[in-house]
Structures are given as C-alpha cells and as structure tokens.
Amino acid sequence: MNTIFTLFVSFIFAFILTIIPLPTWALWYRPAWVPLVLIYCLLASPGRMGLGSAWVIGLLLDAITGSSLGEHALGMVLIAFLAIKLQRQMQMAAIWQQSISILLLIFIFQLTIMLSQGMLGQANSFHGFWIPAVTSMFIWPWLVIIMRDNYQTIPSTR
Amino acid sequence: MELFKRGPALGFRLSVFIALSVAIMALDQRQQHMIYVHQALSVITTPIQYLVDLPLKTLDWLSERVTTKNALLSDNQQLKANQVLLQAKVQKFLALERENNRLRGLLQSSVRLREKVVVARLLALDANPYVHQFTLAKGSRDGVFVGQSVLDASGVLGQVIRVNPFTSQVLLLTDTRSAIPVENTRNGIRGIVVGVGDMNRLALIDTPKTENIKNGDLLVTSGLGQRFPAGYPVGTVGVVIHNPGEHFARINIHPKAQFNRSRFALLVWPHSKKK
C-alpha cells in the first residue's frame, strides 16, 4: 500500500517537473523525468509495473504535453520493454554504469518521439532532441539516491 | 506477477502495444473519435497543470498585495489617463464603423458585425519544445470551441485546436502547421501567411513576383476561410526577396503579436455564434 502511494507521488512529481516552465534556452535540456522514474520502478520492483502501465503513463504524458495521443505512449512501451530485458544486468551494475544504459534508453525514447512527431508533420525543430538523453544520464545517480530513501520496502538488488 | 510472464509473451505484448500506439496516433490525426479519450485523460492532467501554474499565480497575487500605496496611485492615474485616450479613440471608431457599415449597405455587401471578446489567462507551462502551442485556462465550460481565434493586445496569436472541460490548447501562428488568410491594408492584395517554426518570423507564401508588396506593409486577417474574423493585424512585411529562379517572391513577415511574452490572450466569439 505504502509502495503504491510512493509510486503515485513520484510519478506526479515527474509530471510536474515535465511541464514546469523553463526559460526558452533551457527547454531542450529538461531531463526526461517520467521515463526515468519508470525505469527506476521497473528496476527496483520488478513485476509491479509492466508494459501496460508504461503505456497508460505514456498516454497521460501525451495528454499533458499537448502532443498527439500515442507518441509518448509508444516511446514509453519501447523503453519499458528494453528496461525489463536489461533488468538483470542493470541491477548488478554500478550506478555510473547504469547511467550509460540510461543514456541509451532515453536516446531511444527521444528518437521515437522525434520520428513520430516528424511523421505526423507536427515538429518545428529537431536540433536538440538528443540533449535530454545526456541530461537524464547526469540526473540518474541523484534520482537513484533520492528514490532509494523513499522506496525502502523493496530491495534495489536481488 | 509479470516476472513470470517473460519470454515470448513479453515480445507479443510489446507488438500489441506498438500497434495500439500507432493506431491511436493515426486516429488522433483525424481528430474525431479521440476527443473523448482526450477529455478522459484531462481529468487527471488538468489538476497537475493547475498545480504547476499555482506558484506563479500566487507570486503574482503576492506582488499585487505588497506594492506600496504610491505605486498603486501612480498606476491608477496612468490607467485613467490611458482610458480617457482610448475612449476618445473609440468614439471616433464608432462613428467610422457606422459610416463603414452604411457604405457597405449601399454597396449591398454584408455588414460587418462586431465580435465578442473575452480575456483568458495562459497557464504557465511548457513541455513540448517540438511544437508551438500553449494552454489557456478556459475550456468548453466557458464556451471555447475548436477553431476559435485567439488574439493578444497587438495582433493574432493563433487558433484553438483542442478543447478540454477546463483548459484548451492553442496553436500559434508560428507553428509550421498554421496558416492564416490575410490582406494587405495598403492595396487589398490577398495571400496566406504560414508559420516557419521560428517565434520571430512568419512567411507570406505563393505570392507572384509581380504583386505590389513592399517592406513595411501591414497585413490584417481577410476573414476568408471563415475561421479568423476579418481586420485583425497579423504582421508587417519585412524583407522581400525576388529570386529570378523561383516562381514566387519570398516574403518575411514580422508578427504583431508577442508570442513568447503574452500572459493573457483574448478569445473571440463571432457575433452570429450563440455561446
């Protein structure tokens, strides 16, 4: 019960950080908060969340960012799949090694969104689509530290 | 539970969800059936949007509360002076409007009706650097409808593209998906202005090189296409490039509206449409 509440609150926080206003130059530097929290939950408590919940959260992300439905949902499902596949390796790895996997996963997420928005003819500019992958990589260790303290009910490694 | 469902089942579910996402994207592009899904999702997303907007609103409220009496008094005086000036202009404008409508009556063309305008606040959010959109703090509860024109104090901002019960999404003129029919106030030449994905620039497209359009001309909405009401300023003509190798002139437009500085927007209701 407690864990579900923590999950709920951390996703709400991720959504808030996703839409909080930033100066125009900083827009591309915003880390992909919701995918990061999703990856953490998939690693920390395998089985609690799966592709279905990732998809629903992706739909919410679509609605809150005002894009066409399905774009972020597609990206979220893809990285959830990869995170479940990489679960064992990532759980054993050191945090900085995890960061490198995060770089790859968020890059795939951003690439999916860029491609789908490009195909729907919506995007105005693509030039910075890869930057969130880099900022997410640097945010990951801090996210792990914060989440670990509030997420004690499940051991982070098996 | 899902721990034991790995293997082929996971791959199968992945392909199901991918197919579902693509199907929803295609459906949403047509913009008819998915409106209910959008509204259902907005039940969850609207509170979060208002929550993010709250601190800024509070800050505004606080700065209003803690200003000095002198500042308020000087503000008040300035506003009063402004109001007198504007009312003097409106008097003249009313006489002109009546005369204009009488002349239009003589010419047997349709009389221009005045539109109803309501102020709406922008929610302080930005999430999507790919698109030029913003969120208004008014929705279908306030009678906002898809296709409605949105202005600011100096010109046209864009149009409403999606309506939820309490919020609505506005597509700015600068977005590459946006187009607006305009006419030149100097000589009545008509054209279409599109966005190019740049906040400080629009483009007038498909104008033959022989057309008389000069740097500094004011373009206003022509009212053709029945979407934007006629007569609101869109922008002034900037550089006009005549390239001998191209059929059309390349014309840059400086937009009148302040896309990245507006805090308030004006929603326009055409007079015939009952709210």
Side-chain angles (χ1 to χ4, degrees):
Chain A
M1 202 61 209
N2 190 23
T3 334
I4 289 177
F5 181 72
T6 320
L7 261 179
F8 180 75
V9 170
S10 38
F11 273 109
I12 293 285
F13 262 104
F15 276 118
I16 288 175
L17 287 170
T18 308
I19 57 170
I20 215 158
L22 290 179
T24 320
W25 60 267
L27 276 183
W28 287 108
Y29 293 89
R30 189 198 299 276
W33 292 106
V34 179
L36 280 180
V37 172
L38 176 82
I39 294 170
Y40 183 85
C41 295
L42 286 172
L43 295 186
S45 55
R48 198 169 290 278
M49 297 187 73
L51 294 188
S53 32
W55 192 73
V56 171
I57 291 167
L59 272 190
L60 283 174
L61 198 54
D62 280 324
I64 209 162
T65 56
S67 53
S68 281
L69 291 183
E71 290 167 4
H72 291 82
L74 180 61
M76 290 289 269
V77 168
L78 279 181
I79 61 163
F81 174 77
L82 290 174
I84 292 172
K85 282 284 176 198
L86 293 172
Q87 212 170 48
R88 292 280 170 80
Q89 291 91 322
M90 279 181 79
Q91 279 169 346
M92 303 303 283
I95 289 184
W96 70 268
Q97 286 167 323
Q98 288 180 353
S99 286
I100 296 170
S101 321
I102 293 296
L103 176 74
L104 189 75
L105 287 177
I106 303 296
F107 183 80
I108 291 170
F109 178 73
Q110 293 289 331
L111 193 71
T112 317
I113 290 169
M114 185 199 83
L115 288 178
S116 43
Q117 295 212 336
M119 275 196 286
L120 296 176
Q122 297 179 338
N124 289 287
S125 54
F126 295 128
H127 56 87
F129 84 93
W130 53 273
I131 301 176
V134 179
T135 46
S136 303
M137 179 179 78
F138 288 116
I139 285 290
W140 175 255
W142 310 104
L143 186 88
V144 170
I145 291 167
I146 294 168
M147 294 283 283
R148 197 189 269 158
D149 287 344
N150 300 312
Y151 214 71
Q152 319 99 332
T153 39
I154 297 153
S156 60
T157 51
R158 281 182 295 163
Chain B
M1 204 163 44
E2 277 152 357
L3 187 66
F4 306 106
K5 277 196 203 163
R6 282 214 213 108
L10 191 68
F12 175 71
R13 277 186 301 154
L14 176 71
S15 32
V16 167
F17 279 119
I18 289 177
L20 213 58
S21 307
V22 173
I24 280 188
M25 263 189 259
L27 275 177
D28 199 24
Q29 195 71 349
R30 302 274 163 262
Q31 288 200 344
Q32 280 141 17
H33 317 290
M34 301 310 287
I35 188 77
Y36 302 107
V37 182
H38 273 290
Q39 285 183 354
L41 289 172
S42 79
V43 173
I44 303 173
T45 56
T46 305
I48 301 180
Q49 288 176 326
Y50 273 87
L51 192 69
V52 169
D53 181 59
L54 193 68
L56 270 120
K57 207 176 157 190
T58 320
L59 218 66
D60 270 7
W61 183 83
L62 269 178
S63 71
E64 260 170 37
R65 294 297 125 140
V66 298
T67 40
T68 60
K69 195 178 168 191
N70 279 341
L72 280 177
L73 280 175
S74 72
D75 233 30
N76 203 349
Q77 268 177 354
Q78 206 183 342
L79 287 174
K80 268 182 188 159
N82 261 345
Q83 209 209 350
V84 170
L85 274 174
L86 286 175
Q87 273 196 329
K89 274 189 190 163
V90 164
Q91 282 172 19
K92 204 173 165 189
F93 174 75
L94 281 177
L96 281 174
E97 193 184 32
R98 215 166 294 142
E99 188 182 325
N100 196 343
N101 274 341
R102 212 176 55 233
L103 288 171
R104 281 176 160 272
L106 285 177
L107 286 169
Q108 310 222 310
S109 63
S110 61
V111 173
R112 278 186 182 170
L113 294 169
R114 231 179 302 159
E115 296 92 7
K116 185 184 144 209
V117 175
V118 169
V119 178
R121 211 165 51 82
L122 304 191
L123 287 179
L125 327 157
D126 41 20
N128 204 337
Y130 293 100
V131 293
H132 292 183
Q133 292 180 4
F134 59 65
T135 312
L136 280 183
K138 279 195 193 304
S140 54
R141 288 287 180 89
D142 308 287
V144 179
F145 57 92
V146 171
Q148 191 170 20
S149 310
V150 182
L151 320 169
D152 77 354
S154 39
V156 181
L157 277 176
Q159 56 179 305
V160 176
I161 54 166
R162 192 174 291 142
V163 182
N164 289 325
F166 295 98
T167 57
S168 48
Q169 285 278 325
V170 176
L171 183 73
L172 295 181
L173 289 185
T174 53
D175 195 285
T176 46
R177 285 175 288 168
S178 165
I180 180 170
V182 296
E183 69 180 346
N184 191 335
T185 45
R186 189 164 57 86
N187 49 21
I189 289 174
R190 299 206 172 96
I192 289 181
V193 165
V194 299
V196 292
D198 182 343
M199 278 285 182
N200 306 310
R201 200 162 61 86
L202 300 168
L204 181 63
I205 53 162
D206 297 346
T207 315
K209 280 188 281 193
T210 48
E211 290 278 38
N212 179 7
I213 289 178
K214 283 189 204 149
N215 189 341
D217 285 358
L218 176 67
L219 301 180
V220 299
T221 50
S222 66
L224 294 179
Q226 312 260 306
R227 186 148 269 206
F228 293 96
Y232 287 104
V234 173
T236 50
V237 176
V239 196
V240 182
I241 302 165
H242 293 287
N243 186 348
E246 287 172 18
H247 284 293
F248 302 109
R250 202 176 290 172
I251 302 169
N252 272 336
I253 309 293
H254 299 304
K256 277 277 180 191
Q258 301 185 314
F259 294 107
N260 37 17
R261 271 165 289 169
S262 305
R263 297 285 305 277
F264 289 96
L266 304 167
L267 284 162
V268 182
W269 273 272
H271 202 73
S272 53
K273 187 128 181 168
K274 290 279 176 290
K275 194 186 148 180

Coordinates of all heavy atoms in Angstrom, one line a residue, chain A residues 39-87:
Chain A
I39 N 11.8 3.8 -15.4 CA 12.9 2.8 -15.4 C 13.3 2.5 -14.0 O 13.5 1.3 -13.7 CB 14.1 3.4 -16.2 CG1 13.7 3.6 -17.7 CG2 15.3 2.5 -16.1 CD1 14.8 4.4 -18.4
Y40 N 13.3 3.5 -13.1 CA 13.7 3.1 -11.7 C 12.7 2.1 -11.1 O 13.2 1.2 -10.5 CB 13.7 4.4 -10.9 CG 14.2 4.1 -9.5 CD1 15.5 4.0 -9.1 CD2 13.3 3.8 -8.5 CE1 16.0 3.7 -7.9 CE2 13.7 3.4 -7.2 CZ 15.0 3.3 -6.9 OH 15.4 3.0 -5.7
C41 N 11.4 2.4 -11.3 CA 10.4 1.5 -10.8 C 10.6 0.1 -11.3 O 10.4 -0.9 -10.6 CB 9.0 2.0 -11.0 SG 8.7 3.5 -10.1
L42 N 10.9 0.0 -12.6 CA 11.0 -1.3 -13.3 C 12.2 -2.1 -12.7 O 12.2 -3.3 -12.5 CB 11.1 -1.2 -14.8 CG 9.9 -0.8 -15.5 CD1 10.2 -0.5 -17.0 CD2 8.9 -1.9 -15.5
L43 N 13.3 -1.3 -12.4 CA 14.5 -2.0 -11.9 C 14.3 -2.3 -10.4 O 14.7 -3.4 -9.9 CB 15.7 -1.1 -12.1 CG 16.1 -0.8 -13.5 CD1 17.4 0.0 -13.5 CD2 16.3 -2.1 -14.3
A44 N 13.7 -1.4 -9.6 CA 13.7 -1.6 -8.2 C 12.6 -2.6 -7.8 O 12.8 -3.3 -6.8 CB 13.4 -0.2 -7.5
S45 N 11.5 -2.6 -8.5 CA 10.5 -3.6 -8.1 C 9.9 -4.3 -9.3 O 8.9 -3.9 -9.8 CB 9.3 -2.9 -7.3 OG 8.8 -1.8 -8.1
P46 N 10.7 -5.3 -9.8 CA 10.2 -6.0 -11.0 C 8.9 -6.6 -10.7 O 8.7 -7.2 -9.6 CB 11.3 -7.0 -11.2 CG 12.2 -7.0 -10.1 CD 11.9 -5.8 -9.2
G47 N 8.0 -6.5 -11.7 CA 6.7 -7.2 -11.5 C 5.6 -6.2 -11.1 O 4.4 -6.5 -11.3
R48 N 6.0 -5.1 -10.4 CA 4.9 -4.2 -10.0 C 4.4 -3.4 -11.2 O 3.2 -3.1 -11.2 CB 5.4 -3.2 -8.9 CG 4.4 -2.6 -8.2 CD 4.9 -1.8 -7.0 NE 5.4 -2.8 -6.0 CZ 4.6 -3.3 -5.1 NH1 3.3 -3.1 -5.1 NH2 5.1 -4.1 -4.2
M49 N 5.2 -3.1 -12.1 CA 4.8 -2.4 -13.3 C 5.2 -3.2 -14.6 O 6.3 -3.8 -14.6 CB 5.4 -1.0 -13.3 CG 5.0 -0.2 -12.2 SD 5.5 1.5 -12.3 CE 4.4 2.1 -13.6
G50 N 4.4 -3.1 -15.6 CA 4.8 -3.7 -16.8 C 4.5 -2.8 -18.0 O 4.4 -1.6 -17.9
L51 N 4.4 -3.5 -19.2 CA 4.2 -2.7 -20.4 C 2.9 -1.9 -20.4 O 2.8 -0.8 -20.8 CB 4.2 -3.6 -21.6 CG 5.5 -4.3 -21.9 CD1 5.5 -5.0 -23.2 CD2 6.7 -3.3 -22.0
G52 N 1.8 -2.5 -19.8 CA 0.5 -1.9 -19.8 C 0.6 -0.6 -19.0 O 0.1 0.5 -19.5
S53 N 1.1 -0.6 -17.8 CA 1.2 0.6 -17.0 C 2.1 1.7 -17.7 O 1.8 2.9 -17.7 CB 1.6 0.4 -15.6 OG 2.5 -0.7 -15.5
A54 N 3.2 1.2 -18.3 CA 4.0 2.1 -19.0 C 3.3 2.8 -20.1 O 3.4 4.0 -20.4 CB 5.2 1.4 -19.6
W55 N 2.4 2.1 -20.8 CA 1.6 2.6 -21.9 C 0.6 3.6 -21.5 O 0.5 4.7 -22.0 CB 0.9 1.5 -22.7 CG 0.3 1.9 -24.0 CD1 1.0 2.1 -25.1 CD2 -1.1 2.1 -24.3 NE1 0.1 2.5 -26.1 CE2 -1.1 2.4 -25.6 CE3 -2.2 1.9 -23.5 CZ2 -2.4 2.7 -26.2 CZ3 -3.4 2.2 -24.1 CH2 -3.5 2.6 -25.5
V56 N 0.0 3.3 -20.3 CA -1.0 4.3 -19.8 C -0.4 5.6 -19.4 O -0.8 6.7 -19.7 CB -1.8 3.6 -18.7 CG1 -2.7 4.7 -18.0 CG2 -2.7 2.5 -19.2
I57 N 0.8 5.4 -18.7 CA 1.5 6.6 -18.3 C 2.0 7.4 -19.5 O 1.9 8.7 -19.5 CB 2.7 6.2 -17.4 CG1 2.2 5.7 -16.0 CG2 3.6 7.4 -17.1 CD1 3.2 5.0 -15.2
G58 N 2.4 6.7 -20.5 CA 2.8 7.4 -21.8 C 1.6 8.2 -22.4 O 1.8 9.3 -22.8
L59 N 0.4 7.6 -22.3 CA -0.8 8.3 -22.8 C -1.0 9.6 -22.0 O -1.3 10.7 -22.6 CB -2.0 7.5 -22.7 CG -2.4 6.5 -23.8 CD1 -3.8 5.9 -23.6 CD2 -2.4 7.3 -25.2
L60 N -0.9 9.5 -20.7 CA -1.0 10.7 -19.8 C 0.0 11.7 -20.2 O -0.3 12.9 -20.2 CB -0.9 10.3 -18.3 CG -2.1 9.6 -17.7 CD1 -1.8 9.2 -16.3 CD2 -3.2 10.6 -17.7
L61 N 1.2 11.3 -20.5 CA 2.3 12.2 -20.9 C 2.0 12.9 -22.2 O 2.2 14.1 -22.3 CB 3.6 11.4 -21.0 CG 4.9 12.1 -21.0 CD1 5.0 13.0 -19.7 CD2 6.1 11.2 -21.0
D62 N 1.3 12.1 -23.1 CA 0.9 12.8 -24.3 C -0.2 13.9 -24.0 O -0.1 14.9 -24.6 CB 0.2 11.7 -25.2 CG 1.2 10.8 -26.0 OD1 2.2 11.4 -26.4 OD2 0.9 9.6 -26.1
A63 N -1.1 13.5 -23.2 CA -2.2 14.5 -22.9 C -1.6 15.7 -22.2 O -2.0 16.9 -22.5 CB -3.2 13.9 -22.0
I64 N -0.7 15.6 -21.3 CA -0.2 16.7 -20.5 C 0.8 17.6 -21.3 O 0.9 18.8 -21.1 CB 0.4 16.2 -19.2 CG1 0.3 17.3 -18.1 CG2 1.9 15.9 -19.3 CD1 0.4 16.9 -16.8
T65 N 1.5 17.0 -22.3 CA 2.4 17.8 -23.1 C 1.7 18.3 -24.4 O 2.3 19.1 -25.1 CB 3.6 17.0 -23.6 OG1 3.2 15.9 -24.3 CG2 4.5 16.6 -22.4
G66 N 0.4 18.0 -24.6 CA -0.3 18.5 -25.7 C 0.1 18.0 -27.0 O -0.2 18.6 -28.1
S67 N 0.7 16.8 -27.1 CA 1.0 16.2 -28.4 C -0.1 15.2 -28.8 O -1.0 15.0 -28.0 CB 2.4 15.5 -28.3 OG 2.4 14.6 -27.2
S68 N 0.0 14.6 -30.0 CA -1.0 13.7 -30.4 C -0.9 12.5 -29.5 O 0.2 12.1 -29.1 CB -0.7 13.2 -31.8 OG -1.2 14.2 -32.7
L69 N -2.0 11.8 -29.2 CA -2.0 10.6 -28.4 C -1.3 9.5 -29.1 O -1.3 9.4 -30.3 CB -3.5 10.2 -28.2 CG -4.3 11.1 -27.3 CD1 -5.7 10.4 -27.1 CD2 -3.7 11.3 -25.9
G70 N -0.5 8.8 -28.3 CA 0.2 7.7 -28.8 C 1.7 7.9 -29.0 O 2.5 6.9 -29.0
E71 N 2.2 9.1 -29.1 CA 3.6 9.4 -29.3 C 4.5 8.9 -28.1 O 5.3 8.1 -28.2 CB 3.9 10.8 -29.6 CG 3.3 11.3 -31.0 CD 3.3 12.8 -31.1 OE1 3.8 13.5 -30.2 OE2 2.8 13.3 -32.1
H72 N 4.2 9.6 -27.0 CA 5.0 9.2 -25.8 C 4.6 7.8 -25.3 O 5.5 7.1 -24.8 CB 4.7 10.2 -24.7 CG 5.2 11.6 -24.9 ND1 4.6 12.5 -25.7 CD2 6.4 12.2 -24.5 CE1 5.3 13.6 -25.8 NE2 6.4 13.4 -25.1
A73 N 3.4 7.4 -25.6 CA 3.0 6.0 -25.2 C 3.9 5.0 -25.9 O 4.4 4.1 -25.3 CB 1.5 5.8 -25.5
L74 N 4.1 5.2 -27.2 CA 5.0 4.3 -28.0 C 6.4 4.3 -27.4 O 7.0 3.2 -27.2 CB 5.0 4.8 -29.4 CG 5.8 4.0 -30.4 CD1 5.3 2.5 -30.5 CD2 5.8 4.6 -31.8
G75 N 6.9 5.5 -27.1 CA 8.3 5.6 -26.6 C 8.4 4.9 -25.2 O 9.3 4.2 -25.0
M76 N 7.4 5.1 -24.4 CA 7.4 4.5 -23.0 C 7.3 3.0 -23.1 O 8.1 2.3 -22.4 CB 6.2 5.0 -22.2 CG 6.3 6.5 -21.8 SD 7.5 6.8 -20.6 CE 6.5 6.7 -19.1
V77 N 6.5 2.4 -24.0 CA 6.4 1.0 -24.1 C 7.8 0.4 -24.6 O 8.2 -0.6 -24.0 CB 5.3 0.6 -25.1 CG1 5.4 -0.9 -25.5 CG2 3.9 0.9 -24.5
L78 N 8.4 1.1 -25.5 CA 9.7 0.6 -26.0 C 10.7 0.6 -24.9 O 11.4 -0.4 -24.8 CB 10.2 1.5 -27.2 CG 9.5 1.2 -28.6 CD1 10.1 2.2 -29.6 CD2 9.8 -0.2 -29.0
I79 N 10.8 1.7 -24.2 CA 11.9 1.7 -23.2 C 11.5 0.8 -22.0 O 12.4 0.2 -21.4 CB 12.3 3.1 -22.7 CG1 11.1 3.8 -22.0 CG2 12.9 3.9 -23.8 CD1 11.6 5.0 -21.2
A80 N 10.2 0.6 -21.7 CA 9.9 -0.4 -20.7 C 10.3 -1.8 -21.1 O 10.8 -2.5 -20.2 CB 8.3 -0.3 -20.4
F81 N 10.0 -2.1 -22.3 CA 10.4 -3.4 -22.8 C 11.9 -3.6 -22.7 O 12.4 -4.6 -22.1 CB 10.0 -3.5 -24.3 CG 10.5 -4.8 -25.0 CD1 9.9 -6.0 -24.7 CD2 11.6 -4.7 -25.8 CE1 10.4 -7.1 -25.4 CE2 12.1 -5.9 -26.4 CZ 11.4 -7.1 -26.2
L82 N 12.7 -2.6 -23.1 CA 14.2 -2.7 -23.0 C 14.6 -2.8 -21.6 O 15.6 -3.5 -21.2 CB 14.8 -1.5 -23.7 CG 14.7 -1.5 -25.3 CD1 15.2 -0.2 -25.8 CD2 15.4 -2.7 -25.8
A83 N 14.0 -2.0 -20.7 CA 14.4 -2.0 -19.3 C 14.1 -3.3 -18.7 O 14.9 -3.8 -17.9 CB 13.7 -0.9 -18.5
I84 N 13.0 -4.0 -19.0 CA 12.7 -5.3 -18.5 C 13.7 -6.3 -19.0 O 14.2 -7.2 -18.2 CB 11.2 -5.7 -18.8 CG1 10.2 -4.8 -18.1 CG2 11.0 -7.2 -18.5 CD1 8.8 -5.0 -18.5
K85 N 14.1 -6.2 -20.3 CA 15.1 -7.1 -20.8 C 16.5 -6.9 -20.2 O 17.2 -7.8 -19.9 CB 15.2 -6.8 -22.3 CG 14.1 -7.4 -23.1 CD 14.3 -8.9 -23.3 CE 13.1 -9.5 -24.0 NZ 13.1 -11.0 -23.8
L86 N 16.8 -5.6 -19.9 CA 18.1 -5.3 -19.3 C 18.2 -5.4 -17.8 O 19.2 -5.1 -17.2 CB 18.6 -3.9 -19.8 CG 18.9 -3.7 -21.3 CD1 19.1 -2.3 -21.6 CD2 20.1 -4.6 -21.7
Q87 N 17.0 -5.7 -17.2 CA 16.8 -5.7 -15.7 C 18.0 -6.3 -15.0 O 18.6 -5.6 -14.1 CB 15.6 -6.4 -15.4 CG 14.8 -5.9 -14.2 CD 13.5 -6.6 -14.2 OE1 13.4 -7.9 -14.3 NE2 12.4 -5.9 -14.0

